[in-house]
Amino acid sequence: MANQGILSQLTENTFKGPFTIIRSCTLDNNPIKCNCDLRWLPSMDLSRTLKRNLLGECEEPKNLHGALINELTQSDFQHCDQTA
């Protein structure tokens, strides 16, 4: 899909629909921001095929740098629901 280092965000409005029908998505070499805007992804019921074939790593934030996108869990985003 986007294997050229230009995609940094996976917004729910853009990707939630396609993720229900596609079988693979390669996001390698893209600086993906795994911030609170991505917390929708672990809550999606992705097909086993897509879960296995959703390839890419988090660039940011520091605590998730290098984390595989297909292995993110809701606990990685629990801080997003905390109020100041």
Side-chain angles (χ1 to χ4, degrees):
M1 187 169 170
N3 192 0
Q4 300 167 4
I6 58 173
L7 187 64
S8 64
Q9 293 187 321
L10 303 178
T11 61
E12 184 173 8
N13 287 342
T14 303
F15 286 93
K16 192 171 186 175
F19 278 0
T20 62
I21 57 174
I22 63 174
R23 300 186 74 194
S24 68
C25 182
T26 302
L27 300 166
D28 291 341
N29 301 316
N30 284 281
I32 303 297
K33 295 178 183 175
C34 297
N35 57 19
C36 293
D37 293 335
L38 191 61
R39 67 181 168 194
W40 62 271
L41 185 60
S43 65
M44 272 195 75
D45 186 21
L46 298 176
S47 72
R48 262 189 276 209
T49 302
L50 178 56
K51 183 120 174 113
R52 188 175 51 247
N53 294 308
L54 180 57
L55 307 175
E57 294 181 358
C58 299
E59 180 71 22
E60 298 176 15
K62 225 177 228 190
N63 65 315
L64 290 175
H65 179 82
L68 299 176
I69 292 172
N70 64 350
E71 293 181 1
L72 294 173
T73 66
Q74 289 181 332
S75 65
D76 292 320
F77 300 96
Q78 65 187 11
H79 68 281
C80 296
D81 296 324
Q82 296 175 354
T83 57

